[in-house]
């Protein structure tokens, strides 16, 4: 059963359509029902529908729903991700770029190793010119459809030397018959825009184009959608500008905000009814996001009235915060909420360490999303290198990796000479082995080992063609000696690494099974394409009884009955780097909104007054986003700072007595800040202020609590805390709303204001 606005979107047929889909509003249901309506009621051929989204998981879910709605003909629709769609097209049209159809796709580590070689060849100091910086800059350039010549011509703002490095990087990719991840969309856009006959082929085929999560599209994706929809103009985009949180990786919110300007006859449908969260959660989310100016107006609502209040826990330090999370997770588990139905969100990966330690001590099972991914593990990449060489022996990165896994007595010097010879002659490493000149400096023994390796790869290619997909990995690791190498490792390491290799074999078997179900012929190249396009969110499995921990960015698209948002402080959320930029601050607010709207029933938000950041103790004030939430929606539980005299001595973390002040917000502004940072010990404590490291407010002291001071950068403020003595004296000074600084007296250039 569709609600009226959903029905309106489903029944729209011709012309551009903008669906503003709020969090939890059933956009996938609308998209799939719209596609089914086109096929069943308007006689649109299934292969005339092109629908793209961002993750394999989302595409898979869409395909499953479509199969349920329209049956087997759903297989003929292009329901996929941007990168998968473009990879499929490039397999046909790569020749237009001078590439063979059996090109390989470099992943992040392949890109980095190639870039390191380039930096070395160019004699670039990696401290001044970090290879990863170049990789990321080139990726962003490709997202903007910029070539190395565009960079040389001054288009965009990029790091020095990028144009030269970018040009050499592209040359190396071409030599390896490889595209990187950023190439998949960029190169297909180039082909479509430069080859009218190729563009016409897809424009005529795709009568209806649908783009999911349009707010997250970059410039290359925008151009792809624009050119494909040019003939029929039946472009439907679905998204929520309030959930645009990937600006840092190229997402352009203007794509969705300007859609109506791009297509003047656009029909707009707003999906505002939420099917996920309670009224309390949605009212809080609406209150936070309404402060953003760069947004389309919308207000989420639900028929799930009432709900538990949001609980804000103000604790002493990050250890107390972790202790509070452990206690709350256990309490909810005892109430019948499995660990897998709860989730902890944080702004930065660095925040997970303290949480992990507390969970380990408490015996609470957890999993970090965004940690080392399966396809990035050493043994998996080693075996994949062999598989990729079987598909494309000219893949230099895979050649260099496989030849050392396991070691064959081919050292770095030999490889350097081989690489030098290959570059001088424009050959791949595989080709260079058979054409190595006598003056290359490679000894007879090393030359023999290289030839044996090349011969072995040729042998593997012939064998793989007759093996079942499920047999390939076991054959490769046995034939090349890699299994013997793994089994010789220490017992636990050996078991773990062999288990990962066996899991890779299982992945090939699963791929083959899925291919047969889709009436497709499984190929090793097809599996490698799939592996290259896999993301962390695709592997999210909440069937396990473990507590998920993840960044707010990774949380997008997920939902949990109970959510904990930690680090709700100025400097973390919003992040310190964004506070001076209105656009970045709006994105931080959207990030907070995303976190809130992941919650189905109960939301806990935690802030700590002290936190160790990069090894230094930092005093923080609560996030401005907390203040945006109406007081009637919040239950406040505060543990005063003075109850936590040292790290590890918190009321939540170590069993101390927590002082809870329900329904009383805690803000670091004048009166409440005075109370929180007073040198007077908490009632019931036998420790004196001097024992806590605070100086007494006596008449002989140079600095006094409550004294007005002036700073050359921050202006006038009031001293709220004094720590240490003589040249180690530190002052915590309140300079105004959201501006609290801890300063060393001997460096701060503070002057008393009389």
């Amino acid at each position: 059963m569709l609600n009226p606005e959903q029905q309106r979107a489903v029944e729209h047929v011709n012309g551009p359509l903008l669906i503003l889909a709020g969090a939890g509003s059933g956009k996938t249901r609308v998209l799939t029902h719209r596609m089914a309506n086109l096929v069943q009621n308007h006689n649109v051929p299934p292969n005339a529908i092109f629908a793209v989204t961002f993750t394999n998981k989302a595409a898979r879910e869409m395909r499953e729903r479509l199969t349920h709605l329209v049956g087997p003909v759903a297989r003929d629709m292009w329901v996929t991700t941007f990168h998968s769609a473009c990879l499929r097209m490039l397999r046909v049209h790569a020749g237009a770029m001078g590439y063979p159809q059996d090109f390989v796709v470099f992943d992040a580590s392949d890109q980095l190793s190639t870039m390191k070689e380039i930096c070395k060849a160019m004699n670039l100091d990696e401290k001044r010119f970090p290879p990863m910086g170049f990789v990321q800059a080139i990726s962003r350039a490709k997202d903007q459809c910029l070539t190395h010549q565009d960079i040389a011509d001054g288009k965009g703002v990029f790091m020095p030397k990028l144009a030269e490095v970018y040009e050499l990087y592209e040359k190396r990719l071409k030599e390896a018959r490889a595209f990187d991840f950023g190439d998949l969309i960029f190169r297909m856009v180039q082909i479509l825009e430069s080859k009218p006959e190729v563009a016409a082929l897809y424009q005529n085929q795709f009568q209806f184009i649908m783009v999911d999560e349009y707010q997250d599209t970059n410039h290359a994706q925008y151009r792809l959608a624009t050119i494909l929809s040019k003939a029929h103009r039946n472009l439907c985009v679905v998204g929520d500008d309030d959930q645009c949180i990937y600006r840092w990786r190229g997402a352009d919110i203007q794509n969705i905000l300007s859609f109506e300007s791009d297509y003047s006859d656009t029909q707009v449908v707003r999906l505002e009814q939420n099917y996920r969260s309670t009224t309390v959660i949605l009212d809080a989310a609406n209150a936070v996001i309404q402060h953003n100016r760069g947004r389309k107006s919308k207000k989420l609502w639900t028929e799930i009235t009432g709900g538990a209040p949001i609980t804000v826990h103000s604790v002493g330090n990050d250890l107390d915060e972790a202790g509070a999370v452990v206690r709350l997770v256990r309490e909810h588990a005892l109430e019948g909420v499995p660990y897998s139905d709860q989730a902890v969100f944080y702004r930065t990966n660095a925040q997970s360490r303290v949480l992990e330690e507390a969970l380990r001590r408490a015996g609470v099972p957890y999993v970090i999303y965004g940690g080392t991914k399966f396809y990035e593990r050493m043994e998996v990449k080693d075996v994949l290198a062999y598989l990729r060489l079987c598909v494309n022996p000219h893949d230099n990165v895979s050649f260099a990796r496989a030849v050392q896994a396991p070691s064959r007595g081919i050292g770095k010097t030999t490889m350097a000479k081989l690489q030098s010879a290959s570059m001088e002659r424009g050959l791949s490493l595989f080709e260079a082995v058979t054409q190595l000149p006598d003056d290359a400096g490679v000894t007879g023994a090393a030359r023999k080992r290289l030839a044996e390796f090349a011969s072995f790869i040729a042998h593997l290619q012939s064998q793989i063609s007759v093996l079942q997909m499920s047999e390939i990995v076991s054959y490769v690791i046995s034939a090349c000696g890699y299994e013997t190498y793994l089994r010789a490792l220490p017992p636990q390491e050996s078991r773990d690494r062999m288990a990962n290799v066996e899991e890779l074999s299982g992945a090939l078997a699963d791929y083959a099974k899925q291919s047969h179900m889709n009436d497709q012929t499984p190929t090793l190249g097809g599996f490698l394409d799939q592996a290259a396009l896999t993301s962390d969110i695709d592997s999210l499995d909440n069937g396990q009884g473990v507590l998920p921990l993840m960044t707010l960015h990774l949380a997008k698209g997920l939902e949990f009955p109970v959510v904990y948002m930690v680090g709700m402080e100025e400097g973390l959320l919003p992040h310190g780097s964004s506070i001076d930029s209105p656009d970045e601050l709006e994105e931080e607010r959207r990030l907070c909104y995303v976190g809130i709207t992941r919650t189905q029933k109960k939301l806990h938000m935690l802030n700590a007054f002290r936190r160790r950041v990069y090894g230094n103790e930092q005093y923080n004030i609560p996030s401005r986003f907390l203040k945006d939430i109406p007081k009637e929606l919040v239950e406040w539980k505060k543990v005063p700072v003075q109850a936590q005299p040292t790290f590890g001595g918190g009321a939540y973390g170590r069993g101390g007595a927590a002082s809870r002040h329900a329904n009383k917000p805690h803000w670091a502004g004048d009166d409440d800040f005075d109370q929180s940072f007073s040198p007077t010990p908490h009632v019931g404590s036998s420790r004196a202020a001097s024992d806590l490291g605070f100086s007494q407010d006596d008449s002989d002291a140079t600095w006094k609590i409550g004294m007005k001071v002036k700073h050359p950068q921050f202006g006038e403020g009031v001293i709220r805390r004094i720590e240490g003595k003589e040249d180690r004296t530190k002052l915590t000074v309140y300079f105004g709303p959201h501006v609290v600084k801890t300063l060393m007296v001997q460096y701060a250039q503070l002057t008393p204001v009389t």
Side-chain angles (χ1 to χ4, degrees), residues 58-76:
R60 185 167 57 247
E61 180 185 350
M62 213 177 289
R63 285 193 296 268
E64 288 170 355
R65 293 196 191 191
L66 279 167
T67 300
H68 178 73
L69 291 172
V70 302
V73 297
R75 295 176 185 171
D76 296 329

Side-chain angles (χ1 to χ4, degrees), residues 31-41 43-52 59-60 62-81 84-85 88 205-210 518 520:
L31 272 175
T32 52
H33 275 73
R34 183 169 189 266
M35 287 185 269
N37 179 57
L38 291 171
V39 171
Q40 294 173 331
N41 300 324
N43 298 316
V44 175
N47 68 351
I49 294 175
F50 179 84
V52 285
R60 185 167 57 247
M62 213 177 289
R63 285 193 296 268
E64 288 170 355
R65 293 196 191 191
L66 279 167
T67 300
H68 178 73
L69 291 172
V70 302
V73 297
R75 295 176 185 171
D76 296 329
M77 299 180 189
W78 282 52
V79 181
T80 182
T81 65
S84 294
R88 181 174 171 181
Q205 176 182 346
F206 299 135
Q207 299 173 32
F208 292 88
I209 294 172
M210 279 162 267
N518 293 333
Q520 297 172 350

Side-chain angles (χ1 to χ4, degrees), residues 455-718:
S455 176
F456 173 70
I457 296 301
H459 166 74
L460 275 186
Q461 287 180 299
S462 65
Q463 290 300 305
I464 279 179
S465 63
V466 298
L467 292 170
Q468 297 291 322
M469 295 294 286
S470 58
E471 300 171 334
I472 291 175
V473 169
S474 60
Y475 182 86
V476 169
I477 64 172
S478 175
C480 74
Y482 196 69
E483 182 175 9
T484 302
Y485 159 72
L486 289 181
R487 295 198 183 283
L489 295 172
Q492 186 60 51
E493 183 182 0
S494 176
R495 283 193 295 270
D496 291 344
R497 296 194 185 280
M498 277 302 300
N500 286 331
V501 171
E502 289 163 4
E503 181 65 21
L504 179 62
S505 184
L508 267 87
D510 290 343
Y511 160 75
K513 181 180 178 182
Q514 190 63 45
S515 296
H516 289 308
M517 289 174 62
N518 293 333
D519 294 328
Q520 297 172 350
T521 302
T523 65
L524 182 56
F527 170 76
L528 293 172
D529 286 345
Q530 177 179 290
L533 296 170
T534 300
S535 65
D536 350 321
I537 268 318
D538 296 325
S539 62
L540 181 57
D541 177 10
N542 270 348
Q544 306 173 46
V546 297
L547 177 71
L549 276 64
M550 67 191 77
T551 64
L552 283 161
H553 285 100
L554 270 181
K556 187 170 175 290
L558 305 177
E559 58 184 45
F560 299 91
V562 179
V563 166
Y564 308 87
M565 291 176 64
V566 301
M568 293 298 301
E569 302 140 31
E570 291 292 305
L572 276 178
L573 189 65
H575 195 272
S577 63
S578 68
I579 289 176
D580 294 330
S581 167
D583 288 344
E584 291 181 14
L585 189 56
E586 291 212 345
E587 178 143 333
E588 292 294 302
R589 190 179 294 278
R590 292 193 292 268
L591 198 54
C592 181
Y593 173 84
V594 165
I596 295 172
T597 55
R598 301 309 93 200
T599 312
Q600 293 174 297
K601 296 178 180 179
K602 178 66 183 180
L603 174 62
H604 296 276
M605 307 177 91
L606 297 93
N607 71 284
F609 293 106
R610 292 191 317 230
R611 187 177 297 274
R612 196 164 287 277
V613 180
Y614 303 119
N616 298 313
E617 191 174 89
Q618 179 175 297
Y619 292 94
N620 301 316
I621 58 177
S623 169
R624 67 191 71 191
F625 303 146
L626 291 176
K627 199 170 185 179
D628 293 337
I629 302 173
K631 295 179 181 179
E632 62 271 17
L633 303 177
V634 180
E635 173 190 28
W636 300 85
K637 295 188 177 181
K638 183 175 65 175
V639 179
V641 172
Q642 52 268 46
Q644 282 79 35
T646 61
F647 274 79
Y652 282 120
R654 303 292 184 271
S659 173
R660 301 178 185 176
H661 301 278
N663 300 316
K664 181 185 176 184
H666 179 82
W667 302 115
D670 273 354
D671 294 343
D672 216 40
F673 191 95
D674 286 342
Q675 178 185 357
S676 298
F677 283 85
S678 163
T680 308
H682 178 57
V683 176
S685 170
S686 61
R687 302 184 70 184
S690 58
D691 294 331
L692 299 179
F694 309 150
S695 71
Q696 297 295 317
D697 188 11
D698 58 71
S699 57
D700 294 332
T702 304
W703 308 101
K704 299 181 180 180
I705 291 174
M707 176 187 286
K708 288 187 176 181
V709 293
K710 187 173 183 178
H711 186 273
Q713 179 180 350
F714 305 117
E716 291 191 4
V718 180

Side-chain angles (χ1 to χ4, degrees), residues 431-447:
E431 291 171 323
V433 168
T434 58
Q435 301 179 39
L436 202 59
D438 294 336
D439 61 355
V442 178
T443 64
R447 194 179 285 261

Side-chain angles (χ1 to χ4, degrees), residues 172-199:
R172 293 289 177 85
L173 286 181
K174 194 75 174 283
E175 290 169 351
R177 280 81 159 176
F179 286 124
D180 65 19
F181 207 61
D183 279 322
L184 299 182
I185 301 174
F186 175 34
R187 299 306 178 191
M188 198 60 228
V189 167
Q190 285 185 313
I191 292 171
L192 290 169
E193 292 181 343
S194 63
K195 305 289 182 182
E197 68 281 7
V198 177

Side-chain angles (χ1 to χ4, degrees), residues 90 93 190 374:
L90 281 171
H93 305 289
Q190 285 185 313
F374 177 78

